[in-house]
Amino acid sequence: MAGRGKFITFEGLDGSGKSTQLQKLAAVLRADKIALTCTREPGGTAVGEKIRNVLLDTATCGLAPRAELALMFAARAQHIKEVIEPALKAGHFVLCDRFTDSSEAYQGGGRQLGSKLILELHRIFCNNLQPDLTILMDSDVAASVERAKRRNNLRSERSGSAEPDENRFEHESRAFFERVHATYLAIAARDRDRVVTVNARGTPHQTHEQIVEIVHRKLKLRRGQHC
Ligand code: TYD
């Protein structure tokens, strides 16, 4: 029977290139014959994707910060039970686009609910599940948010205005994203063993090379061989 798999999360500002880098890492691990589950938050399950639509759609108005946080954790609790834990038990590497650090950075930092509440909810609803490794994509606030806005506007144009969009967070202020960024850096300073910060300001290829090196070093994998 396969041993327990590894849980790798990707974190960073909107538009920092996380999703692209997750896919690029997945291709390398697949080539190494590692069984993979790639997933994302909020979402990753049928219920979670419905919650995602509510959370990210610009048409959702007046959502209280605590209600927003509760929905993030509702989606996460379902995701852990239905996808993450079964995959880890089956020996898969789980690559997850965002996890609880996003709640700490966006709701704790951005919405100013504080870290303590998020860590407590994580203990209660997620059994304190910790990633084996978190890749924090460090990028500049203005450039990242601009990139995310352009990408999401393009998606909305393609799908038509009647569809739910994913732009609600992009309407937040520069100060909001500065707080998100600062909280991410504080998490990385606190959880040094788990979180590795990657400079995401270079080309996608340069960033990818850094990530592959980190994953192999931190998880003690050899290239071309699953240990
Ligand atoms: P994502 O789809 O990763 O957006 P992007 O590709 O632009 O980075 O995430 C959607 C948004 O949800 C993003 O703005 C961050 C926000 N979010 C939170 O505020 N808290 C959370 O716990 C999670 C998982 C996401």
Side-chain angles (χ1 to χ4, degrees):
M1 229 180 77
R4 189 174 166 84
K6 300 285 182 196
F7 184 26
I8 305 175
T9 58
F10 281 74
E11 294 286 352
L13 291 168
D14 304 72
S16 59
K18 289 175 289 89
S19 315
T20 307
Q21 292 300 331
L22 187 153
Q23 292 307 332
K24 280 169 143 331
L25 176 65
V28 169
L29 297 177
R30 272 194 202 102
D32 282 356
K33 304 272 183 290
I34 292 175
L36 281 188
T37 293
C38 296
T39 187
R40 68 171 179 181
E41 292 201 348
T45 65
V47 165
E49 291 293 323
K50 285 186 185 169
I51 297 174
R52 179 183 177 94
N53 284 342
V54 172
L55 279 166
L56 304 192
D57 189 0
T58 311
T60 301
C61 326
L63 190 61
R66 281 187 161 73
E68 180 179 278
L69 179 62
L71 288 172
M72 293 292 179
F73 270 102
R76 182 166 299 130
Q78 186 70 25
H79 193 206
I80 290 172
K81 168 136 197 319
E82 207 178 305
V83 176
I84 299 174
E85 270 300 344
L88 290 172
K89 279 196 186 119
H92 283 209
F93 274 43
V94 176
L95 305 191
C96 190
D97 193 340
R98 299 193 180 280
F99 192 57
T100 298
D101 294 325
S102 283
S103 298
E104 191 174 345
Y106 283 77
Q107 281 68 51
R111 303 270 188 241
Q112 299 181 290
L113 293 176
S115 290
K116 200 164 160 258
L117 174 63
I118 282 78
L119 298 178
E120 187 66 3
L121 292 176
H122 187 68
R123 200 179 54 73
I124 295 166
F125 289 116
C126 308
N127 206 17
N128 211 25
L129 174 67
Q130 296 295 323
D132 295 287
L133 172 64
T134 296
I135 306 283
L136 172 59
M137 305 273 293
D138 189 32
S139 57
D140 296 320
V141 173
S144 306
V145 176
E146 258 322 298
R147 183 136 53 104
K149 268 189 191 152
R150 276 201 306 276
R151 177 201 58 195
N152 289 355
N153 286 341
L154 207 68
R155 273 191 207 149
S156 305
E157 277 167 26
R158 285 201 193 116
S159 62
S161 55
E163 293 291 311
D165 64 37
E166 296 210 333
N167 294 340
R168 197 170 66 86
F169 281 93
E170 270 93 48
H171 294 300
E172 291 301 331
S173 65
R174 172 78 183 264
F176 174 91
F177 287 105
E178 293 287 358
R179 288 195 296 275
V180 172
H181 187 231
T183 309
Y184 268 134
L185 296 182
I187 294 170
R190 179 189 68 205
D191 292 351
R192 284 171 189 283
D193 281 352
R194 171 177 67 85
V195 183
V196 180
T197 306
V198 168
N199 179 3
R201 297 171 187 84
T203 65
H205 182 71
Q206 286 166 338
T207 309
H208 173 64
E209 294 281 291
Q210 289 181 67
I211 292 173
V212 170
E213 188 277 321
I214 290 163
V215 169
H216 283 81
R217 175 165 48 81
K218 293 285 284 184
L219 301 183
K220 300 187 173 50
L221 303 176
R222 273 180 281 152
R223 293 300 299 263
Q225 189 179 352
H226 177 196
C227 309

